[in-house]
Amino acid sequence: MNVLVLNCGSSSATFAVIDPAVPREHVSGIAQRLGQPEASLDWKIDGVKQSRTIAGAGHDAALREVVALLRELGLADGLLGVGHRVVHGGAKFSGSMAITPEVLAKVEECIPLGPLHNPSNLLGIRIAQELFPGKLQVAVFDTAFHQTMPPVAFTYPVPYEWLDAHGVRRYGFHGTSHRFVARQALSLAGLPEADHALVTAHLGNGCSCTAVRNGHSVDTTMGLTPLEGVMMGTRSGSVDPAIIGHVAGALGQPEKKILDALNKQSGLLGVSGLSNDMRTVEEAASNGHVRARLALDIFCYVLAKAIAALVVPLGRLDALVFTGGIGENS
């Protein structure tokens, strides 16, 4: 029996149909650069890559194109269920959950903490429920892997009542990715399962790094929301929080609008003024575009500092692991 796996990110939707019993991957692919004229649906079967243009498609249209493709390939019928990556589960979920109305409600409650991802995650779930009625739908939470962080790592130095009353703490994200690549690294590097120290760097439109000690997350760069940490495609990463009030006052705009700019108009896009896509930024930098070069340099500089800092909770470093669109290809 096959399982459809969906990962609806902030600017892409990846998918795969797998038979977990074998295991075998029948097809995998990505709808990327969503909302842009160059949006495309790319997939791979038995190592052969194919592509079609879905110019301007958002998440809704892209996911329906994915399902249409699966129907063409004869893979849409007979699915055992659908697995969904969900970014923010807060402290409510420490493992995967069958999706019920109650689970959906809790994911919706976390939208303010994951504003770029939880809405697209929920959209993917609802479209899958519509197109595959009666099928088991399971949520796998990015935050679950980081539930092993100790209090010294997840507690912010703010009034402690904020933690108890409002859940203000570091949650961490990209947990499914960090967990998987950490396990893969052990076999690739020949490291013992019971004694290893890794830093995993998930670098795409969203970026985060995690310190993994003996299979467990002990610290990570993202925090209460996916905005904290290293520089990303459209997100600033960690900046002085006083910037929000300062710029809001200077521009005469509400603080919410400034926070929205830190999430959607900053990072590679904000500094380069060109794009949130590393491929575009790298090409422009190589052609002498000054701000693209600065964006690229800041990205690498901030990332290197974050990786070095994560050696502190590990005590040593056995391997540095890169994954994600940038981590794999740049």
Side-chain angles (χ1 to χ4, degrees):
M1 295 291 285
N2 295 328
V3 174
L4 169 61
V5 181
L6 288 177
N7 174 4
C8 294
S10 55
S11 64
S12 65
T14 57
F15 67 94
V17 175
I18 63 171
D19 182 345
V22 178
R24 180 190 174 193
E25 179 184 274
H26 295 286
V27 62
S28 63
I30 181 171
Q32 59 183 329
R33 295 181 173 180
L34 298 183
Q36 300 183 38
E38 60 269 32
S40 65
L41 175 60
D42 309 307
W43 68 95
K44 181 172 64 175
I45 302 176
D46 296 327
V48 179
K49 296 182 179 180
Q50 301 180 63
S51 181
R52 66 177 58 157
T53 299
I54 51 172
H59 285 85
D60 191 320
L63 287 170
R64 294 181 189 279
E65 283 287 341
V66 168
V67 175
L69 172 65
L70 298 183
R71 295 196 191 285
E72 292 173 21
L73 298 173
L75 294 171
D77 297 327
L79 290 174
L80 177 65
V82 185
H84 300 267
R85 176 214 181 188
V86 177
V87 168
H88 212 311
K92 298 176 176 69
F93 305 106
S94 58
S96 303
M97 295 288 292
I99 296 172
T100 63
E102 292 75 21
V103 169
L104 280 177
K106 291 184 182 297
V107 173
E108 287 182 336
E109 288 176 14
C110 292
I111 285 177
L113 302 177
L116 289 186
H117 294 87
N118 274 36
S120 55
N121 298 157
L122 285 164
L123 178 62
I125 291 170
R126 289 179 173 130
I127 292 175
Q129 288 177 325
E130 173 193 336
L131 297 175
F132 300 104
K135 296 294 183 183
L136 174 66
Q137 311 269 340
V138 176
V140 181
F141 296 92
D142 264 15
T143 45
F145 180 59
H146 301 295
Q147 293 298 306
T148 54
M149 288 191 296
V152 69
F154 72 68
T155 306
Y156 286 120
V158 297
Y160 194 80
E161 293 75 17
W162 295 2
L163 172 59
D164 286 341
H166 307 293
V168 174
R169 52 159 286 179
R170 173 170 285 109
Y171 291 101
F173 301 91
H174 296 139
T176 53
S177 175
H178 289 297
R179 177 175 56 188
F180 175 77
V181 298
R183 289 175 178 173
Q184 291 294 102
L186 297 186
S187 59
L188 290 172
L191 296 171
E193 185 174 341
D195 184 19
H196 59 267
L198 314 174
V199 171
T200 52
H202 176 103
L203 309 177
N205 189 54
C207 302
S208 70
C209 302
T210 294
V212 181
R213 192 76 163 92
N214 303 338
H216 301 291
S217 169
V218 295
D219 205 349
T220 192
T221 54
M222 284 180 167
L224 174 74
T225 74
L227 180 58
E228 187 180 2
V230 298
M231 180 180 177
M232 308 177 218
T234 65
R235 278 170 273 177
S236 63
S238 296
V239 296
D240 185 343
I243 285 176
I244 297 176
H246 174 74
V247 177
L251 298 180
Q253 296 178 346
E255 293 189 356
K256 185 181 183 300
K257 189 166 184 178
I258 308 308
L259 183 60
D260 193 56
L262 292 178
N263 268 299
K264 300 178 180 179
Q265 300 168 25
S266 301
L268 290 173
L269 173 63
V271 177
S272 73
L274 296 174
S275 176
N276 64 311
D277 194 294
M278 179 62 84
R279 291 166 291 192
T280 301
V281 173
E282 284 186 323
E283 182 179 0
S286 67
N287 290 330
H289 193 285
V290 174
R291 283 176 54 184
R293 169 50 59 186
L294 178 61
L296 186 58
D297 288 346
I298 295 172
F299 183 92
C300 295
Y301 178 70
V302 170
L303 178 63
K305 287 202 300 180
I307 291 168
L310 287 173
V311 178
V312 173
L314 291 173
R316 71 174 200 262
L317 183 62
D318 297 330
L320 173 58
V321 188
F322 292 97
T323 191
I326 298 171
E328 178 184 354
N329 298 300
S330 178

